[in-house]
């Protein structure tokens, strides 16, 4: 069993995105998701200028978005939640505001083995 | 879980207050390198090894598109906020992986204009086998195609000087 941090840093998730084999934007977004777990956040918000994560409505982390990615970060984050069944157990998009995301578990255990080749 | 000792504020090295080095025709600013506190001081002191180049090479979360070496976001000047901001993404990842502060370093090179360049627009799988025969590989940054990366090959790293920004 692996934890979420190990899953993220392993890069095991890359197989969900065969069309983006070396996407720095995906690396960054998985790093953001990892920070939610690390910082005990319960909410992530995407604004035009930043990612902001909070715990009990108090900001515990931010990252300013100086440069937009292609595809855009927000579209990629929604794609992660569509494709990655591990991340789906941890993070969900708000039903009414797709710029807002809720952490639904403090952490998760991952069954999938990490490829030895990584 | 994060180690509290690793996440507590670190004393700032004296070198962070250094003035930018004087630039000449043979010594020029190239761009920014995003890394973490774990590696920054060694890089500023000119210590390069495989644990430093590529920021963090062990994790599958990083993409070494142009192979091993030191990756730099090319900038049009030291005040290029977009290039600096892009380097912050890479510093952020290094911070997450190492659990140490994110650091963006300025990169200067001696003899940059005379270095042998391979321009490459592709992924790692198709990188030409002879890429290490060049001094650096230059090309678009995946996901940020309006921006350019320069990956200095290991044999040329001694001609670089890195400084805190």
């Amino acid at each position: 069993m692996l934890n979420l941090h190990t899953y993220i840093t392993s890069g095991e998730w890359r197989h969900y995105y065969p069309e983006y084999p070396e996407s720095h934007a995906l690396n960054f977004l998985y790093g953001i998701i990892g920070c939610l777990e690390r910082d005990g956040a319960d909410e992530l918000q995407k604004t035009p200028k930043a990612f902001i994560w909070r715990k009990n409505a108090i900001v515990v982390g931010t990252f300013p978005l100086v440069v937009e990615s292609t595809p855009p970060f927000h579209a990629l984050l929604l794609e992660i939640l569509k494709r990655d069944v591990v991340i789906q157990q941890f993070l969900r998009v708000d039903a009414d505001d797709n710029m807002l995301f809720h952490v639904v578990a403090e952490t998760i255990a991952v069954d999938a083995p990490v490829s030895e080749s990584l | 879980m994060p180690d509290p000792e690793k996440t507590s504020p670190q004393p700032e090295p004296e070198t962070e207050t250094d003035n930018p080095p004087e630039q000449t025709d043979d010594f020029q600013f190239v761009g920014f390198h995003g890394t973490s506190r774990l590696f920054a001081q060694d890089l500023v002191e000119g210590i390069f090894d495989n644990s430093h180049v590529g920021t963090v090479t062990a994790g599958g979360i990083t993409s070494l598109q142009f192979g091993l070496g030191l990756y730099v976001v090319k900038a049009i000047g030291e005040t290029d906020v977009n290039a600096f901001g892009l380097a912050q993404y890479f510093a952020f990842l290094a911070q997450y992986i190492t659990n140490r502060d994110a650091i963006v370093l300025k990169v200067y090179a001696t003899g940059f204009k005379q270095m042998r360049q391979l321009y490459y627009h592709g992924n790692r799988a198709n990188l030409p086998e002879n890429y290490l025969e060049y001094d650096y590989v230059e090309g678009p940054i995946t996901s940020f195609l309006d921006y350019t990366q320069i990956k200095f090959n290991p044999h040329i790293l001694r001609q670089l000087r890195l400084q805190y920004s």
Side-chain angles (χ1 to χ4, degrees):
Chain A
M1 298 287 276
L2 305 168
N3 61 25
L4 185 59
H5 175 80
T6 306
Y7 173 71
I8 288 172
T9 56
S10 73
E12 181 73 13
W13 43 267
R14 287 190 190 283
H15 71 273
Y16 288 114
Y17 317 99
E19 72 273 48
Y20 308 126
E22 293 170 336
S23 168
H24 292 300
L26 281 171
N27 294 342
F28 169 76
L29 289 169
Y30 274 85
I32 289 282
I33 293 167
C35 287
L36 301 179
E37 178 197 46
R38 182 195 66 188
D39 299 339
D42 52 33
E43 180 182 280
L44 172 68
Q45 183 183 17
K46 165 75 175 64
T47 73
K49 295 287 185 185
F51 278 104
I52 302 167
W53 51 105
R54 301 181 179 86
K55 180 180 184 179
N56 299 326
I58 296 171
V59 174
V60 292
T62 63
F63 189 90
L65 297 175
V66 178
V67 178
E68 183 56 275
S69 67
T70 305
F73 286 121
H74 184 240
L76 273 178
L77 184 52
L78 293 173
E79 205 59 40
I80 289 171
L81 294 178
K82 271 187 193 170
R83 298 189 194 186
D84 190 328
V85 296
V86 175
I87 300 302
Q88 285 168 6
Q89 299 171 54
F90 178 72
L91 188 68
R92 290 184 191 158
V93 64
D94 186 89
D96 299 318
D97 178 359
N98 76 356
M99 303 291 271
L100 192 62
F101 303 85
H102 301 287
V103 175
V104 293
E106 287 185 3
T107 186
I108 56 167
V110 182
D111 282 328
V114 176
S115 302
E116 290 183 3
S117 59
L118 288 173
Chain B
M1 291 296 290
D3 180 345
E5 289 187 3
K6 290 180 180 174
T7 55
S8 60
Q10 304 291 311
E12 298 296 310
E14 290 180 5
T15 47
E16 287 198 51
T17 59
D18 281 356
N19 292 322
E22 185 177 345
Q23 295 185 54
T24 66
D25 285 347
D26 194 47
F27 179 78
Q28 67 181 90
F29 174 73
V30 179
F32 298 101
H33 174 72
T35 185
S36 90
R37 180 75 70 187
L38 184 63
F39 307 125
Q41 189 60 31
D42 277 356
L43 292 172
V44 166
E45 293 175 5
I47 301 168
F48 302 98
D49 64 33
N50 285 347
S51 65
H52 301 120
V53 295
T55 304
V56 179
T57 59
I61 194 171
T62 55
S63 304
L64 297 181
Q65 187 181 355
F66 295 163
L68 277 180
L70 189 97
Y71 284 74
V72 178
V73 179
K74 191 176 184 180
I76 55 176
E78 295 183 33
T79 57
D80 184 342
V81 293
N82 288 332
F84 181 85
L86 190 46
Q88 285 183 309
Y89 289 97
F90 301 107
F92 168 81
L93 272 179
Q95 173 265 329
Y96 174 66
I97 294 169
T98 65
N99 205 19
R100 299 288 298 272
D101 298 341
I103 300 281
V104 174
L105 300 173
K106 293 188 285 191
V107 181
Y108 302 83
T110 299
F112 183 63
K113 290 172 184 167
Q114 289 77 46
M115 289 183 188
R116 293 162 297 162
Q117 178 215 50
L118 169 65
Y119 187 85
Y120 178 65
H121 185 177
N123 58 30
R124 174 75 187 268
N126 298 316
L127 187 63
E129 287 183 8
N130 68 340
Y131 77 95
L132 289 173
E133 295 173 10
Y134 296 84
D135 296 323
Y136 66 90
V137 183
E138 178 170 337
I141 303 176
T142 306
S143 306
F144 306 99
L145 297 178
D146 291 339
Y147 297 86
T148 300
Q149 60 187 330
I150 295 171
K151 197 275 306 201
F152 289 99
N153 279 328
H155 74 268
I156 206 75
L157 297 180
R158 63 184 180 278
Q159 289 183 221
L160 304 183
R161 179 173 168 189
L162 281 71
Q163 188 181 66
Y164 290 97
S165 51

